[in-house]
Amino acid sequence: MKIDIKDLQRGWKEYTLRNDHGMAVSLLNYGGIITRVKVPDRDGTVENVIIGYKQVEEYETNPNFFGALIGPVAGRIQGAAFELDENVYRLEANDGDNHLHGGSNGFHQVLWNSEPIQYEDRVGVVLSYSRKDDEGGYPGTVDVSVTYLLTNENELILEYKGVTDQPTPLTLTNHAYFNLSGNGKRTIHHHHVTIDSHRFLELDEELIPTGTAMDAADTPFDFRKGRLLSDGITERTEQNDIAGHGYDHYFLFDHSRSESVTVKEQMSGRVLTIKTDQPGMVMYTANNLQKGLELHGGTSKKHMGVCFETQSPPASLHHEGLPPVVLQPNERYQQRTVFTFSTDK
């Protein structure tokens, strides 16, 4: 196992983690961005299975959040404001009237402190950052670290930690767009997905959760027995239409299985399993991805990747009964998500 380090522009570094079985993960200290994940298919052909820019400089703005570390709050905050302890905090409205993914200066735009780590059975990088009180409109000085680890079991492990000196919302995720066909050869229509969830959050026309957890049974949102992503892309239900013909919804995990998500791509034989201690995730099927961006393996188009954004829901800032996102000074934010790659013979 080894780590390669490449120095790039303005203090950027690209770390490439390699294990002994042909898997490699590349990431930047800028934005915590995963730029490539290379894994073998059933025939042993190693290809990239996430969507990313061909030119690394394009990540400086990265409006699609390709591979990015998202925070301090992943997802949309209704009305770009929230109330906490009788104080109203107003944030940047960077998505219509709402606040998205920490704003234009969120964690995806931060040059993180980075430290490579290497053990006998895993290699990785620890990213750390101290957010100042009122930065981006959020209360509290928050010290955050995110560890990316690659094991010889073809596991990509993301460990998130944070502490604060004031009550503050904090829910982090990674915004990688997966495409198991390899090098973006096909869209994700025929990715077969299983999700340990029987409820999802209803969205309004602005993609803001209404606070209602809908029963997924007998809808294209019921993935408990597995289904193709094309079901929701082509089905004309109101919720799929609102999302732009696909999914952009928060799924509440049942935690009845050890694996929260399983993804299979039949032609390549690649399988992705996701285990997490997060209460749920946003699954986004790149419904709004524009055409013509220069990416690894070709140019972008709609439905070219699928994101599994494991996190707590920011809708809990406005609606009761949902997993909370507010971190208290006497608490420690600590979450873990494991992406494991294999093949189905």
Side-chain angles (χ1 to χ4, degrees), residues 119-132:
Y119 306 102
E120 186 176 338
D121 62 342
R122 59 192 59 198
V123 292
V125 178
V126 180
L127 302 182
S128 58
Y129 178 66
S130 182
R131 190 203 71 197
K132 297 178 178 62

Side-chain angles (χ1 to χ4, degrees), residues 33-53:
I33 295 167
I34 300 173
T35 57
R36 287 180 298 279
V37 175
K38 293 186 175 182
V39 296
D41 66 6
R42 67 161 62 91
D43 299 320
T45 302
V46 176
E47 294 172 306
N48 180 34
V49 294
I50 67 166
I51 303 304
Y53 290 110

Side-chain angles (χ1 to χ4, degrees), residues 99-144:
H99 179 79
L100 175 65
H101 290 335
S104 57
N105 294 308
F107 288 175
H108 66 290
Q109 300 278 276
V110 166
L111 186 62
W112 292 68
N113 297 317
S114 58
E115 190 69 37
I117 52 176
Q118 186 156 3
Y119 306 102
E120 186 176 338
D121 62 342
R122 59 192 59 198
V123 292
V125 178
V126 180
L127 302 182
S128 58
Y129 178 66
S130 182
R131 190 203 71 197
K132 297 178 178 62
D133 181 29
D134 199 39
E135 186 176 318
Y138 289 92
T141 298
V142 178
D143 293 321
V144 176

Side-chain angles (χ1 to χ4, degrees), residues 182-329:
N183 295 341
K185 288 193 293 292
R186 295 176 288 278
T187 62
I188 44 88
H189 284 71
H190 295 289
H191 281 47
H192 187 272
V193 176
T194 304
I195 304 174
D196 180 22
S197 169
H198 77 280
R199 294 185 303 153
F200 68 98
L201 297 188
E202 179 186 49
L203 297 179
D204 68 15
E205 295 286 347
E206 293 185 341
L207 302 178
I208 296 295
T210 64
T212 299
M214 301 185 73
D215 188 343
D218 301 319
T219 77
F221 292 81
D222 190 353
F223 286 86
R224 286 173 291 179
K225 294 182 179 179
R227 70 190 316 140
L228 296 175
L229 290 178
S230 60
D231 291 352
I233 292 172
T234 59
E235 188 76 27
R236 298 307 303 269
T237 70
E238 181 183 22
Q239 284 296 300
N240 291 124
D241 281 351
I242 282 174
H245 306 302
Y247 301 93
D248 195 3
H249 294 74
Y250 188 89
F251 289 78
L252 291 143
F253 291 139
D254 294 340
H255 288 299
S256 62
R257 309 171 188 173
S258 61
E259 295 167 348
S260 297
V261 184
T262 302
V263 189
K264 298 182 179 181
E265 207 275 334
Q266 185 175 7
M267 291 186 70
S268 69
R270 292 187 179 95
V271 179
L272 166 63
T273 59
I274 303 174
K275 295 183 179 182
T276 186
D277 51 15
Q278 296 274 22
M281 70 168 185
V282 173
M283 182 170 72
Y284 173 55
T285 47
N287 317 312
N288 300 312
L289 182 57
Q290 62 268 49
K291 294 181 179 179
L293 301 176
E294 290 296 322
L295 306 177
H296 295 298
T299 57
S300 63
K301 56 187 170 184
K302 192 172 182 176
H303 302 134
M304 196 172 180
V306 54
C307 303
F308 303 102
E309 303 163 55
T310 57
Q311 60 176 97
S312 292
S316 62
L317 291 169
H318 294 92
H319 301 284
E320 296 181 356
L322 298 175
V325 296
V326 175
L327 181 69
Q328 301 291 339

Side-chain angles (χ1 to χ4, degrees), residues 23 122 147 149-151 153-160 178 258-262 272-278 308 310 335-341:
M23 181 171 172
R122 59 192 59 198
T147 302
L149 291 167
L150 174 63
T151 75
E153 285 68 50
N154 281 7
E155 298 168 318
L156 172 59
I157 303 171
L158 272 63
E159 296 178 340
Y160 305 89
F178 293 94
S258 61
E259 295 167 348
S260 297
V261 184
T262 302
L272 166 63
T273 59
I274 303 174
K275 295 183 179 182
T276 186
D277 51 15
Q278 296 274 22
F308 303 102
T310 57
Q335 303 289 353
R336 189 173 193 260
T337 297
V338 181
F339 302 93
T340 304
F341 296 87

